[in-house]
Amino acid sequence: MKKLLLTIALLLPSLVWAFDFQVSLPGGNTLYFDTVDGGAKLVYPNTSGVPSNGWVGYSQPTGSMVIPSTVQHDGRDYTVVEIGRYALYDCQGITSLTVPEGVTTIGNSAFYYCSGMTELRLPSTLLSIGSQAIGYCDALTDIWIDALTPPATSNSFYGALTANITLHVPYVSYQTYSTTAPWSNFGSVETDAEEFTITALPNNPLRGTVLGGGSYAPGTLVALQANAAEGCFFACWSDGDTVNPRALTVTEDRVLKGMFFEKVHDTMNVTVGVHDTVTNTVHDTTVAILHVHDTVRVPVVVHDTVSPEMFGLQVLSADRNAGIGVGSAMLPAGTTVEICALPLEGYRFASWTDGNTDNPRTVTVMEHDVYMATFSNLGIQMPSTLDWHASVDGKYLKISSRVGECLRVFDAQGRRILSLTTTSLDTSLMLPSAGVYLVQLGDGPAKKIVID
């Protein structure tokens, strides 16, 4: 009997000293902590190594669980600053989990195989998540994270079904999370903030119009387009940006004015003083000095912008059901520009009507020119296939594609509305107004989209 008691006594320290103290939570769950510099660390109770024995001798936390932000030990309060490795390993009974503010680090395999957890909330203070920390959490559908900067990760979501998870992020960080792996690999990235208003208007409605503007969810990509009236020109937006059309990511309420000005031709009256001196020097005596002061009217043309002769460049399609021409514009004489023919799905570019087969094609504008593109049907034997998908959801255009593709949107007249590189598998954007648009990915055929 004494030998048995001695054996038990020898075993007890390995259990007692695996953690510094324990905390009982309302609802019956118990958590285990170590004291560390700066606060407390949530730890796995049985071992500091691989928890091959599971929770033997301890009750696993279950249900909807909130890790406390502060814990008490020996009459002292400790801020929880770290989640240790394996801290909640294999706790399959946890249905939701909230990590408190103040935690900066989540260790390796901390929540590994919490297969019943559907919701996870992470704090704004979080800086890093360890390897497989959220691995094989197959039931997860939603992760909320308040950190403005995506925490550093290292294979943190190993085995997790990220395509089934919606990531909820701060609205000011939407674009960052949407373009930073592995966060950008989630099924969708959303923000729960209210919509913001983009107010787009001209500085003078008699000089031009602006398309775009409205109320949008944070992170939405919208397009603004400034169109000058006859005899006027667009100079820039009120924030100094000169790009037109302009793609804008919504992050806050904004007012943007299109700055339009008239092409001015003024005549100035210039006074020219002519001073002629007539001298008679007979006998070295000055007889007379005549000062003539004449005022003459000199026509001077002043331009607030230098405007050489302008010519119209028209880039048309022989069959608008097969494709469009891109590049129509009013341009100064001598301008060299690139035009192109954009085939629609099921067609390919054949040639220009002057016999040229370059696409895109560089032309120099010296007069009013018309370039007509012709297209041919690919036929049954050579079907056109798109490896991307475009759809309309209310006022939004949604694109599903590979990451890193060049996405272009044109209106029905062949004017480019916007151009960008896709940074996630799903791109959502708002177009300026209802109408027919053509969407092209890479240099492939375009897809026709109708926004009601």
Side-chain angles (χ1 to χ4, degrees):
M1 173 66 76
K2 290 182 179 180
K3 183 176 180 180
L4 177 60
L5 291 176
L6 178 61
T7 302
I8 293 174
L10 290 173
L11 289 174
L12 282 176
S14 67
L15 295 176
V16 173
W17 298 111
F19 52 88
D20 291 344
F21 63 97
Q22 65 186 51
V23 175
S24 297
L25 304 179
N29 286 322
T30 299
L31 297 179
Y32 306 89
F33 294 90
D34 281 347
T35 57
V36 295
D37 290 340
K41 176 171 73 172
L42 179 67
V43 296
Y44 187 77
N46 263 340
T47 177
S48 61
V50 177
S52 56
N53 295 326
W55 286 72
V56 175
Y58 299 90
S59 297
Q60 288 183 328
T62 60
S64 181
M65 175 116 142
V66 178
I67 300 172
S69 58
T70 58
V71 290
Q72 270 196 344
H73 175 54
D74 286 342
R76 177 182 172 184
D77 289 337
Y78 291 86
T79 299
V80 179
V81 296
E82 183 178 349
I83 308 298
R85 64 175 181 172
Y86 307 116
L88 297 176
Y89 182 93
D90 196 32
C91 290
Q92 300 180 40
I94 292 178
T95 55
S96 67
L97 178 64
T98 298
V99 179
E101 290 294 318
V103 169
T104 61
T105 305
I106 296 176
N108 295 349
S109 302
F111 311 139
Y112 187 89
Y113 204 57
C114 289
S115 58
M117 180 169 61
T118 60
E119 298 180 354
L120 175 63
R121 295 179 182 269
L122 302 174
S124 65
T125 51
L126 189 60
L127 300 177
S128 65
I129 305 175
S131 175
Q132 302 185 33
I134 311 174
Y136 286 105
C137 295
D138 298 340
L140 263 179
T141 58
D142 293 274
I143 295 178
W144 282 265
I145 183 164
D146 293 331
L148 298 182
T149 301
T153 58
S154 176
N155 204 23
S156 305
F157 301 97
Y158 177 82
L161 303 177
T162 53
N164 297 336
I165 299 174
T166 298
L167 182 67
H168 305 264
V169 302
Y171 73 85
V172 295
S173 304
Y174 175 88
Q175 191 67 16
T176 306
Y177 278 95
S178 297
T179 58
T180 304
W183 308 100
S184 57
N185 298 331
F186 283 84
S188 63
V189 180
E190 297 181 358
T191 175
D192 296 332
E194 297 179 358
E195 289 188 334
F196 292 111
T197 300
I198 302 298
T199 303
L201 68 166
N203 63 326
N204 186 329
L206 298 179
R207 297 175 181 173
T209 58
V210 176
L211 298 178
S215 296
Y216 311 104
T220 302
L221 188 66
V222 301
L224 305 180
Q225 182 171 337
N227 299 315
E230 185 176 356
C232 301
F233 67 96
F234 169 75
C236 63
W237 300 97
S238 51
D239 62 356
D241 196 314
T242 58
V243 175
N244 184 39
R246 175 181 181 180
L248 178 71
T249 299
V250 177
T251 59
E252 60 184 347
D253 291 331
R254 292 194 67 178
V255 177
L256 284 171
K257 290 185 178 182
M259 307 303 290
F260 300 96
F261 300 94
E262 295 179 355
K263 297 177 181 177
V264 180
H265 303 274
D266 289 339
T267 299
M268 295 182 63
N269 294 328
V270 179
T271 300
V272 179
V274 180
H275 307 274
D276 294 332
T277 300
V278 179
T279 304
N280 188 334
T281 57
V282 177
H283 304 295
D284 296 325
T285 301
T286 300
V287 175
I289 299 176
L290 177 65
H291 296 279
V292 181
H293 303 274
D294 289 337
T295 299
V296 298
R297 188 178 296 274
V298 180
V300 179
V301 179
V302 178
H303 301 272
D304 59 349
T305 183
V306 178
S307 299
E309 189 173 5
M310 306 289 285
F311 291 112
L313 173 65
Q314 288 185 285
V315 188
L316 306 176
S317 168
D319 182 357
R320 295 193 62 81
N321 292 319
I324 63 170
V326 176
S328 296
M330 287 293 295
L331 298 168
T335 302
T336 299
V337 295
E338 185 178 85
I339 64 174
C340 69
L342 178 61
L344 296 179
E345 187 177 3
Y347 294 86
R348 64 175 178 82
F349 169 72
S351 68
W352 303 95
T353 50
D354 62 1
N356 188 292
T357 57
D358 294 338
N359 189 32
R361 175 182 182 181
T362 300
V363 298
T364 299
V365 178
M366 296 304 298
E367 59 184 348
H368 294 296
D369 280 329
V370 176
Y371 292 86
M372 183 80 71
T374 64
F375 302 89
S376 61
N377 196 309
L378 288 175
I380 299 177
Q381 301 302 318
M382 298 177 61
S384 171
T385 58
L386 297 179
D387 56 357
W388 55 278
H389 178 69
S391 61
V392 175
D393 182 9
K395 58 184 180 181
Y396 295 98
L397 173 62
K398 296 182 178 292
I399 309 293
S400 299
S401 67
R402 295 189 302 267
V403 175
E405 294 281 1
C406 182
L407 171 64
R408 302 180 185 87
V409 181
F410 303 87
D411 65 12
Q413 284 69 51
R415 294 174 296 188
R416 187 171 67 181
I417 300 300
L418 60 86
S419 177
L420 57 89
T421 300
T422 58
T423 56
S424 62
L425 297 178
D426 295 289
T427 301
S428 179
L429 55 90
M430 165 64 73
L431 294 175
S433 60
V436 177
Y437 295 90
L438 301 174
V439 183
Q440 181 190 30
L441 212 70
D443 57 0
K447 187 177 181 67
K448 187 180 293 185
I449 294 293
V450 178
I451 302 291
D452 296 327

